[in-house]
Amino acid sequence: MAKQLPYMVLKEIFSRFHAAEPEPKGELEHVNAYTLVVAVALSAQATDAGVNKATRELFKIADTPEKMLALGIEGLTEHIKTIGLFRQKAKNVIKMSQILVDVYGGEVPSSRAALQSLPGVGRKTANVVLNMWWHYPAQAVDTHIFRLGNRSGIAPGKDVNVVERAIEDNVPAEYQQHAHHWMILHGRYTCVARKPKCAACIIRDLCEFEEKTL
């Protein structure tokens, strides 16, 4: 685990991220808040590309909780059977949809506590929805962010909650909104797990990682 980078170094890192991609976007396809919640819940232990492939047709016919309930668990399962843990995820999506209809009038709530009360929605999923749909500067820490945060010194921590707090506490306020997207994309495509692409890294000179690749 690298040591926490100083504020001015973090400011330079995120300034470079911003210059390279001023408006980073999440890669999960969705058409509204509901389909975003479903897509993020389905993405646990699965790739965004795999989820998108499965949900592209699904969301054409079930883009609201009511339509998902009408499709039913068997219909939903048929659409998402290429995704890992699809049986449990299908059960969660149906249960979630029922709660959204019964408790929230078919609308997706905008509070973390309410989101986390839904089946299949953990803190990471709630933070993604808060950030991407409600534009709240929430930090959803996945494996890419956890690796990058610890490897680089951007946000070191022994678990995802500590890394989340490190981002919130240390990344300059003007970069909080897009911080997790920049970090996910950098971790997914540059600071990869096995052989990080240090030669192509725009923050190589600022990173604390000692085993930089040539």
Side-chain angles (χ1 to χ4, degrees):
M1 183 189 301
K3 64 181 180 180
Q4 176 67 59
L5 291 169
Y7 176 83
M8 292 309 295
V9 175
L10 289 175
K11 190 165 186 176
E12 176 60 24
I13 284 173
F14 283 92
S15 172
R16 293 183 191 183
F17 285 157
H18 177 268
E21 184 62 70
E23 292 290 333
K25 303 293 183 185
E27 296 184 324
L28 283 172
E29 296 173 8
H30 59 283
V31 296
N32 54 28
Y34 172 70
T35 54
L36 176 60
V37 174
V38 173
V40 181
L42 293 176
S43 72
Q45 295 179 287
T47 65
D48 287 0
V51 172
N52 289 340
K53 186 175 181 181
T55 59
R56 213 161 276 145
E57 294 302 315
L58 171 65
F59 291 159
K60 289 179 182 178
I61 59 173
D63 60 355
T64 68
E66 294 85 354
K67 290 178 183 177
M68 191 67 76
L69 291 171
L71 182 63
I73 194 163
E74 290 185 7
L76 171 57
T77 300
E78 190 62 28
H79 278 279
I80 67 170
K81 61 186 180 182
T82 56
I83 300 174
L85 307 175
F86 68 93
R87 293 189 192 281
Q88 184 58 49
K89 289 176 179 178
K91 291 178 184 177
N92 285 339
V93 169
I94 294 298
K95 288 178 183 176
M96 174 206 306
S97 301
Q98 192 67 61
I99 292 171
L100 288 175
V101 170
D102 293 345
V103 180
Y104 298 101
E107 299 295 324
V108 175
S110 59
S111 82
R112 182 184 283 119
L115 286 165
Q116 285 189 245
S117 73
L118 300 171
V121 177
R123 187 177 180 87
K124 187 186 82 169
T125 297
N127 281 347
V128 170
V129 176
L130 289 171
N131 183 285
M132 290 181 64
W133 193 258
W134 303 110
H135 306 296
Y136 181 79
Q139 308 302 332
V141 178
D142 69 352
T143 55
H144 300 299
I145 291 181
F146 186 78
R147 178 177 64 253
L148 175 61
N150 278 289
R151 186 183 268 174
S152 66
I154 291 175
K158 66 182 186 300
D159 60 46
V160 294
N161 292 325
V162 176
V163 170
E164 180 183 330
R165 286 196 297 272
I167 297 171
E168 292 174 344
D169 291 346
N170 296 293
V171 172
E174 64 264 36
Y175 299 119
Q176 286 279 333
Q177 178 63 49
H178 293 312
H180 96 274
H181 276 135
W182 282 316
M183 292 180 71
I184 286 173
L185 295 172
H186 195 71
R188 182 175 289 164
Y189 298 112
T190 303
C191 195
V192 296
R194 293 187 179 179
K195 287 188 176 180
K197 301 171 185 177
C198 298
C201 177
I202 61 174
I203 62 167
R204 176 188 171 110
D205 58 314
L206 304 172
C207 171
E208 287 287 317
F209 186 46
E210 294 180 356
E211 301 171 29
K212 291 187 175 75
T213 58
L214 296 176

